[in-house]
Each structure stands twice: as C-alpha cells, then as structure tokens.
Amino acid sequence: KKIKRFMEERKYIAPTISNYAYSMYELDEIIEEIDKCIVNNRVDDKASPQLDKIRKKIYIAENRIKSKLEQIVKSPKYKSYLQESIISLRNGRHVVAVKSMYKKNIDGMVIDKSTTGSTVFIEPAGVRNLQNELDALKIDEEREVYQILLYLTLMVESLREKLTSTLKL
C-alpha cells in the first residue's frame, strides 16, 4: 500500500516504474488475520475461542496454586521451617523455600535445592495436583497456539503465487 501510494504520487515523473506498483497485490485478508491473531509478538487470547478458554483456565489454576502456597507461607505451623516467606518457581513448579533440616516436616516433593544445600525447594503435596492440572493446560495451550500458527502459515502458503509475483516486481 505504501509503495502504491508513493508511486501514485510520482506516476507523471516515472510512469513506467509506477506501473509496476499497480501490479502488486496488497493481500489485506492475510494482514488482517495476522493482526487479529498476533498482538505484541504473541498469539493473542482472542485468536480462537478455545485458546481464550484455555488461558482463562491457566490464570485460574495459577491463582489457586499461589493462594494455596500463600496459606502455607503465612501459616504459623510452617513459619519456623521456611527459609523465607516467598513463593518461587523452580523447574516449572511452584515451590516454597524450606530449611534443609526441616524438609521432612513438610509433606511434599523436593524439586530443587540451593547451591549451598541449606535450602530445599518443596512443592507441597496439596499443590501437586493443581500443578499437574496447570501443566496439562499449558500443553493444551501449546497445541492450540500451534494450530493457530499452522492456520496462518497455510493462509500465507495459499497466497504464495501472489506473494512471489509481488516480490519479483
């Protein structure tokens, strides 16, 4: 569109070159579809109803995990066992930092440990099922994003001749 506008303004100065611009395809339909699906270099939630649902479920699952972990971190029962009262993400799992000597006092799975060995990062048992649910949702999200990108790719592929023709000009 920009080249066509530019050449339109110069059609009397360079008529032969300007004629090339009129042979170019603008491909508005693919531009609109890509702009609808890709926002800020990311496949947008609204690219498909399914992706929107999945991402809403991911948001809910993450909040449920964080809420459960915040209960643990703020609980007087566990306060003396914790290295610090923060929730971390280790190896893709939400964990709490526990002093190594108390790792048996918190029911859960050790996901990682500090370089000094004084802290272990435990995924509490009450969070494990929620985390597994979140992992499954992220796999669903990845599949749906793949399907959307495949759809866009096939759209571009279907316009190969027009694209090639325009690029050769």
Side-chain angles (χ1 to χ4, degrees), residues 26-35 152 155-156 159:
E26 291 182 23
L27 308 172
D28 290 333
E29 65 274 7
I30 188 67
I31 292 168
E32 287 173 21
E33 196 63 24
I34 290 171
D35 286 345
L152 293 174
M155 255 186 106
V156 171
L159 299 168

Side-chain angles (χ1 to χ4, degrees), residues 64-75:
R64 287 172 55 203
I65 290 168
K66 288 174 187 170
S67 176
K68 193 100 166 155
L69 287 170
E70 282 174 11
Q71 288 174 359
I72 292 169
V73 165
K74 291 178 181 175
S75 169

Side-chain angles (χ1 to χ4, degrees), residues 103-121:
K103 68 182 175 186
K104 300 281 187 214
N105 296 64
I106 296 191
D107 184 25
M109 188 165 83
V110 174
I111 301 297
D112 198 7
K113 62 178 157 183
S114 66
T115 51
T116 62
S118 63
T119 306
V120 291
F121 298 92

Side-chain angles (χ1 to χ4, degrees), residues 74-125:
K74 291 178 181 175
S75 169
K77 177 181 174 183
Y78 298 110
K79 193 133 181 99
S80 62
Y81 304 147
L82 300 178
Q83 187 70 23
E84 46 193 11
S85 297
I86 61 167
I87 299 165
S88 299
L89 195 63
R90 293 289 176 116
N91 301 325
R93 310 294 280 190
H94 292 84
V95 296
V96 291
V98 178
K99 296 173 188 170
S100 288
M101 66 181 91
Y102 297 119
K103 68 182 175 186
K104 300 281 187 214
N105 296 64
I106 296 191
D107 184 25
M109 188 165 83
V110 174
I111 301 297
D112 198 7
K113 62 178 157 183
S114 66
T115 51
T116 62
S118 63
T119 306
V120 291
F121 298 92
I122 295 179
E123 176 185 53

Side-chain angles (χ1 to χ4, degrees), residues 16-80:
T16 307
I17 295 174
S18 294
N19 285 333
Y20 282 116
Y22 297 116
S23 305
M24 300 173 95
Y25 295 96
E26 291 182 23
L27 308 172
D28 290 333
E29 65 274 7
I30 188 67
I31 292 168
E32 287 173 21
E33 196 63 24
I34 290 171
D35 286 345
K36 182 188 106 185
C37 293
I38 311 289
V39 178
N40 296 323
N41 297 320
R42 180 177 187 256
V43 175
D44 191 62
D45 297 358
K46 305 291 183 203
S48 80
Q50 186 65 20
L51 183 60
D52 192 37
K53 283 181 200 170
I54 293 167
R55 288 196 174 152
K56 283 177 182 170
K57 287 179 181 178
I58 286 172
Y59 177 78
I60 291 166
E62 286 175 335
N63 283 335
R64 287 172 55 203
I65 290 168
K66 288 174 187 170
S67 176
K68 193 100 166 155
L69 287 170
E70 282 174 11
Q71 288 174 359
I72 292 169
V73 165
K74 291 178 181 175
S75 169
K77 177 181 174 183
Y78 298 110
K79 193 133 181 99
S80 62

